[in-house]
């Protein structure tokens, strides 16, 4: 949902960054536990205590009631945790051993929690990881092992003024080569800015790094020991980002707060933006449902030299090493990782399923907007699963801002990023 998605990207991640700043990995990390014992196929029983954040925590009891119907001997006790308290509560639970059985985890935060030794590895054959979107599975990994089961996902695609596109006689861009001319055609229909992009606000990297991926960049080496931002592919991606600003398609002063850009999009002064599934509701609030139906188009991100990769986020489930009802917790998580439960959760919350087969029925199969995100999710990927990633993203946001403002060139920015991220390290 809107509130939880934004909070997860900003509040939750920043809190985890503070957690790691105060407690370095070398001090907090324990010997990695062996994978947990297999979980049998018998119904769950006993009380299963779980934490869930934001709106998900408010709605989860409704889904948990369905689990209890299928498992009459089990009761799921949900505690809704505010996102701003999230990291501190998990840290305290791990340190004290006084933890619930399971917790929802923002996808970007798994490595930070797994590195403490306080989470159990996912039992062998608990779920079929091949049934989930690849990017969602990547976000569950830490040092080669799965510590989470994907629950829901989100990614970003291109929203544009389809009425302007129709008036200009242009179709939605499919490649980098078509991107600029398409946006300039919309500007000729009266838009001051063709495309809104972040230019230094928190989480700017989630919009800029995909340009590097699209150009073929791998921003960390295969064994996870070094960040690799000083490559021709990363440079090509960052230069492409800058080209929107230098060609006056994009403002060098991008949005800094939620809800800022939508009135401009509705007014037609900004003709396109990159956003996730929550954007449709924001646009309805700003311009009304008829505006969205008549004037808003959505398409997958245009393909660069190698791909049209977007960023993937979302939520997953993990079990604490000190869980009192370990088997019940894993059985609940296994159930929530199935297509039927994920479809039911979408109906309750609007969160997109991480299981691909859950998209084969109902609105998930027929809605045109959802079809775009379904396509985008096939190439979406997360940031690296390293305990230092939040420190790295602060460097990225700062250097990308210098590029956007014309203070630094893409090449100089990447040199500085490489220098600083090498000093930070990957935690390995």
């Amino acid at each position: 949902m809107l509130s939880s998605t934004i909070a997860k990207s900003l509040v939750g991640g920043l809190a985890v960054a503070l957690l790691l700043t105060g407690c370095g990995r070398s001090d907090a990390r324990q010997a990695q536990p062996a994978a947990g014992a297999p979980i049998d196929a018998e119904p769950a029983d006993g009380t299963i205590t779980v934490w869930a954040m934001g709106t998900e925590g408010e709605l989860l009891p409704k889904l948990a009631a369905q689990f209890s119907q299928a498992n009459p001997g089990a009761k799921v006790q949900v505690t809704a945790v505010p996102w701003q308290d999230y990291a501190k509560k998990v840290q305290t639970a791990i340190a004290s051993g006084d933890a619930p059985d399971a917790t929802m985890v923002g996808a970007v935060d798994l490595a930070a929690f797994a590195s403490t030794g306080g989470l159990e590895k996912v039992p062998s054959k608990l779920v079929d990881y091949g049934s989930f979107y690849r990017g969602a599975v990547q976000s569950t990994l830490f040092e080669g092992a799965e510590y989470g089961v994907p629950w829901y996902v989100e990614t970003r695609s291109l929203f544009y003024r389809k009425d302007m596109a129709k008036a200009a006689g242009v179709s939605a861009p499919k490649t980098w080569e078509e991107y600029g001319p398409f946006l300039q055609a919309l500007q000729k229909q009266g838009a001051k800015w063709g495309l809104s992009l972040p230019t230094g606000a928190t989480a700017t990297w989630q919009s800029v790094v995909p340009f590097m991926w699209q150009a073929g960049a791998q921003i960390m080496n295969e064994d996870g020991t070094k960040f690799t931002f000083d490559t021709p592919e990363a440079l090509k991606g960052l230069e492409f980002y800058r080209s929107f600003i230098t060609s006056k398609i994009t403002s060098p002063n991008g949005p800094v707060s939620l809800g800022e850009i939508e009135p401009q999009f509705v007014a037609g002064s900004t003709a396109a933006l990159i956003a996730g599934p929550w954007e449709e509701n924001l646009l309805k609030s700003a311009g009304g449902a008829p505006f969205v139906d008549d004037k808003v188009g959505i398409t997958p991100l245009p393909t660069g030299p190698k791909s049209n990769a977007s960023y993937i986020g979302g939520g997953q489930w993990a079990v604490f090493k000190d869980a009192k009802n370990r088997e019940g917790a894993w059985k609940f998580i296994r159930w929530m990782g199935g297509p039927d439960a994920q479809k039911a959760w979408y109906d309750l919350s609007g969160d997109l399923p991480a299981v691909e087969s859950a998209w084969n029925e109902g609105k998930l199969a027929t809605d045109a907007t959802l079809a775009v995100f379904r396509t985008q999710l096939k190439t979406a990927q997360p940031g690296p699963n390293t305990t230092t990633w939040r420190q790295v993203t602060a460097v990225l946001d700062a250097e990308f801002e210098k590029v956007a403002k014309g203070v630094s060139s893409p090449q100089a920015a990447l040199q500085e990023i490489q220098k600083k991220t090498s000093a930070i390290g990957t935690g390995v």
Side-chain angles (χ1 to χ4, degrees):
M1 294 190 70
L2 168 63
S3 59
S4 60
T5 300
I6 300 298
K8 195 178 297 95
S9 296
L10 303 179
V11 178
L14 291 174
V16 172
L18 293 174
L19 180 160
L20 291 173
T21 300
C23 183
R25 180 179 173 190
S26 61
D27 295 329
R29 182 171 177 251
Q30 306 297 320
Q32 294 297 316
I39 301 299
D40 63 41
E42 297 299 315
D45 57 23
T47 298
I48 304 165
T49 55
V50 302
W51 287 347
M53 290 77 212
T55 307
E56 278 74 14
E58 298 169 8
L59 294 177
L60 183 58
K62 296 180 181 179
L63 184 67
Q66 298 180 30
F67 172 79
S68 294
Q69 289 177 356
N71 297 265
K75 176 185 177 182
V76 181
Q77 182 177 312
V78 179
T79 298
V81 179
W83 275 107
Q84 61 267 28
D85 299 334
Y86 158 61
K88 184 177 180 180
K89 284 185 70 71
V90 172
Q91 179 191 28
T92 301
I94 290 173
S96 67
D98 184 17
D101 298 313
T103 184
M104 173 183 156
V105 177
V108 295
D109 300 326
L110 185 82
F113 297 142
S115 69
T116 67
L119 301 182
E120 184 182 5
K121 292 180 181 177
V122 177
S124 176
K125 299 181 180 180
L126 182 80
V127 296
D128 175 13
Y129 278 96
S131 67
F132 299 96
Y133 283 105
R134 183 175 62 87
V137 174
Q138 287 178 301
S139 67
T140 70
L141 296 172
F142 179 67
E143 297 188 339
E146 292 96 357
Y147 280 85
V149 173
W151 189 25
Y152 64 89
V153 290
E154 57 91 356
T155 190
R156 293 91 194 274
S157 294
L158 181 68
F159 288 77
Y160 64 95
R161 286 290 299 263
K162 68 180 180 182
D163 57 327
M164 290 183 173
K166 182 178 180 180
V170 293
S171 300
K174 292 182 170 56
T175 66
W176 273 16
E177 290 74 20
E178 298 172 357
Y179 216 158
F182 170 79
L183 296 169
Q184 289 170 333
L186 301 190
Q187 287 178 288
K188 290 178 181 178
Q189 296 302 311
K192 180 178 181 180
W193 302 111
L195 175 66
S196 173
L197 288 171
T199 57
T202 300
T204 287
W205 72 270
Q206 293 180 2
S207 295
V208 180
V209 168
F211 288 126
M212 298 180 181
W213 291 333
Q214 291 162 21
Q218 301 292 329
I219 58 177
M220 192 169 71
N221 62 1
E222 289 188 5
D223 61 7
T225 59
K226 180 183 178 182
F227 290 110
T228 54
F229 288 99
D230 55 345
T231 66
E233 294 82 8
L235 179 60
K236 184 175 291 186
L238 191 53
E239 287 177 337
F240 189 65
Y241 164 74
R242 185 186 63 165
S243 72
F244 290 109
I245 298 169
T246 57
S247 62
K248 300 187 185 309
I249 290 173
T250 292
S251 170
N253 301 303
V256 297
S257 59
L258 180 64
E260 178 181 344
I261 196 63
E262 284 73 23
Q264 299 173 35
F265 185 86
V266 171
S269 59
T270 295
L273 52 88
I274 295 172
W278 60 85
E279 188 62 36
E280 193 170 36
N281 284 334
L282 284 176
L283 292 174
K284 285 180 180 178
S285 296
F291 167 81
V292 172
D293 292 339
D294 297 339
K295 298 183 178 181
V296 178
I298 180 172
T299 190
L301 296 181
T303 300
K306 292 297 183 181
S307 75
N308 77 328
S310 186
Y311 171 74
I312 191 171
Q316 52 190 279
W317 284 99
V319 169
F320 286 99
K321 183 180 64 177
D322 296 316
K324 297 176 179 62
N325 189 353
R326 170 188 175 272
E327 289 205 3
W330 283 124
K331 289 177 180 180
F332 179 51
I333 290 171
R334 178 171 60 193
W335 179 83
M336 288 193 295
D340 291 341
Q342 295 215 344
K343 283 184 288 187
W345 181 243
Y346 169 76
D347 291 338
L348 282 170
S349 69
D351 289 338
L352 302 182
V355 173
E356 292 194 59
S357 63
W359 293 70
N360 293 337
E361 297 177 11
K363 184 179 179 181
L364 285 161
T366 61
D367 184 87
T369 297
L370 293 176
V372 173
F373 288 114
R374 183 178 189 177
T375 298
Q376 191 74 70
L377 281 164
K378 293 182 181 298
T379 59
Q381 59 189 80
N385 283 356
T386 167
T387 58
T388 63
W389 181 239
R390 282 294 175 180
Q391 294 168 265
V392 170
T393 61
V395 172
L396 295 179
D397 288 348
E399 293 301 321
F400 293 156
E401 181 174 20
K402 293 177 184 177
V403 172
K405 308 300 186 191
V407 175
S408 180
S409 69
Q411 186 171 21
L414 288 178
Q415 290 174 349
E416 190 67 14
I417 288 169
Q418 187 63 43
K419 175 183 175 182
K420 291 180 177 178
T421 58
S422 296
I424 293 169
T426 67
V428 175

